[in-house]
Amino acid sequence: MPDLAYVNGEIMPIEKAVVPIEDRGYQFGDGVYEFVASYEGRPFMLEEHLDRLERSMRELALDPVPRADIKKAVLDLFTLSGYPRAGLYIQIARGVAPRNHAITPGMTPQIIMTIRPVQEMPAEKREKGATAITVKDTRWGRCDIKTVQLLSNSLAKQKSLDAGCDDAIFVSGQGIVREGTSSNLFIVSGGRLTTHPLTDNILPGITRMVVLNLCKAADLVVEESFFGIEALLGADEVFLTGTVTELLPIVRIDDKSIGNGEVGPITRRLYDLLREQAMAGGPA
């Protein structure tokens, strides 16, 4: 089966999929998205992803789309693709109209989806850890909405790759550590975990939520509070969380080793618990 796309109700080979040139998602970044991954052919945390998609649409005042229609298309694509480990991208843009900053009333939302095999993180990164740099957070002020406005994220990611690292970590102008370019961030110090609280400045990650629940079940102490670069670089362990990232250990940041420079025991434990839950199909 070829990689597939869904465009406004029609499923087709991905190379045949197109969107109108005056789609506001293309011209203004006026749209939202989600990314859902499957394990053994089963989408993981689908309802939670759809909850967040609907919230993002409300925050941008996009016209609602029936959830049942979106869910059916998602499940159809997972089934038709036949990929046991697939990544499905959903994008909903406001609609198509002659280019104008003002929003033209009466537009029909543009709904597109694509599905491909997940590009797995190299096993070496899981076993030995990844590296990162810190960058100034230049993103727009509503990072809690999962919009297609990702240029700052893309530039930061490329900056990290150009520096020979795997990702970038956003830090505010006031020195507050936020998150990665497509992931949330946790630090471990003295056996306690800390992650940035849910504010307008970070995405409410689905995997972040799963990890918080896993910590609670495993009697691991987690604090949702602000912290700076000193706490980041002085942590015993650092890891990123995300749909494809899953739980990725970071062992070096800005050319400084984190802890002893090796993947820590809490990171390993939580990754194993996350994979166990994902392979089982969801929360117990």
Side-chain angles (χ1 to χ4, degrees):
M1 177 66 68
D3 293 339
L4 297 174
Y6 170 103
V7 181
N8 298 323
E10 183 180 356
I11 295 175
M12 64 194 73
I14 199 167
E15 63 271 13
K16 294 186 179 297
V18 296
V19 296
I21 195 169
E22 292 187 307
D23 180 351
R24 284 183 62 91
Y26 165 66
Q27 294 193 335
F28 290 100
D30 189 0
V32 300
Y33 79 99
E34 276 295 327
F35 191 88
V36 185
S38 66
Y39 294 81
E40 301 297 331
R42 298 185 302 267
F44 183 53
M45 306 297 287
L46 176 57
E47 298 298 337
E48 289 77 5
H49 280 284
L50 294 178
D51 287 343
R52 187 171 63 182
L53 179 66
E54 291 179 337
R55 176 187 180 272
S56 295
M57 293 180 68
R58 288 193 301 270
E59 291 295 322
L60 292 192
L62 298 181
D63 288 340
V65 175
R67 182 183 180 116
D69 292 351
I70 299 298
K71 184 174 181 179
K72 182 181 185 305
V74 166
L75 295 176
D76 285 348
L77 284 170
F78 275 118
T79 299
L80 289 170
S81 75
Y83 298 134
R85 179 84 165 110
L88 186 142
Y89 175 81
I90 309 168
Q91 178 174 309
I92 302 179
R94 192 177 303 275
V96 179
R99 191 180 188 279
N100 191 331
H101 281 71
I103 296 172
T104 302
M107 287 182 288
T108 300
Q110 295 287 292
I111 306 169
I112 65 170
M113 304 183 197
T114 58
I115 189 165
R116 292 186 172 96
V118 167
Q119 294 184 357
E120 298 285 7
M121 193 70 59
E124 181 182 13
K125 300 295 183 184
R126 303 249 181 242
E127 181 60 30
K128 296 184 178 180
T131 59
I133 60 171
T134 56
V135 296
K136 183 178 179 180
D137 194 349
T138 59
R139 300 172 297 169
W140 84 308
R142 290 300 306 276
C143 297
D144 60 309
I145 307 172
K146 201 168 178 69
T147 75
V148 297
Q149 300 177 45
L150 295 172
L151 182 57
S152 289
N153 303 62
S154 177
L155 292 175
K157 178 70 171 184
Q158 189 58 49
K159 185 175 182 179
S160 73
L161 297 177
D162 291 344
C165 295
D166 300 294
D167 205 355
I169 296 168
F170 288 115
V171 180
S172 76
Q174 294 73 42
I176 301 298
V177 176
R178 300 293 194 203
E179 57 188 346
T181 60
S182 59
S183 53
N184 295 121
L185 182 142
F186 288 73
I187 63 173
V188 183
S189 298
R192 301 170 63 92
L193 293 90
T194 306
T195 192
H196 193 291
L198 292 182
T199 68
D200 291 352
N201 302 118
I202 71 163
L203 185 73
I206 304 300
T207 308
R208 175 188 184 275
M209 176 183 67
V210 172
V211 169
L212 288 174
N213 290 335
L214 289 173
C215 287
K216 183 177 181 180
D219 292 326
L220 292 171
V221 178
V222 186
E223 182 179 359
E224 296 181 64
S225 63
F226 302 111
F227 59 92
I229 291 182
E230 184 177 353
L232 174 69
L233 299 181
D236 301 322
E237 304 176 41
V238 175
F239 60 84
L240 301 174
T241 62
T243 297
V244 175
T245 303
E246 296 181 310
L247 199 151
L248 180 67
I250 302 296
V251 297
R252 194 169 187 84
I253 301 173
D254 291 343
D255 290 328
K256 183 183 185 305
S257 292
I258 301 302
N260 63 4
E262 298 179 355
V263 180
I266 291 179
T267 301
R268 289 189 186 278
R269 181 184 179 191
L270 286 171
Y271 175 70
D272 289 343
L273 290 172
L274 175 63
R275 287 287 299 191
E276 179 181 332
Q277 179 170 317
M279 295 301 290

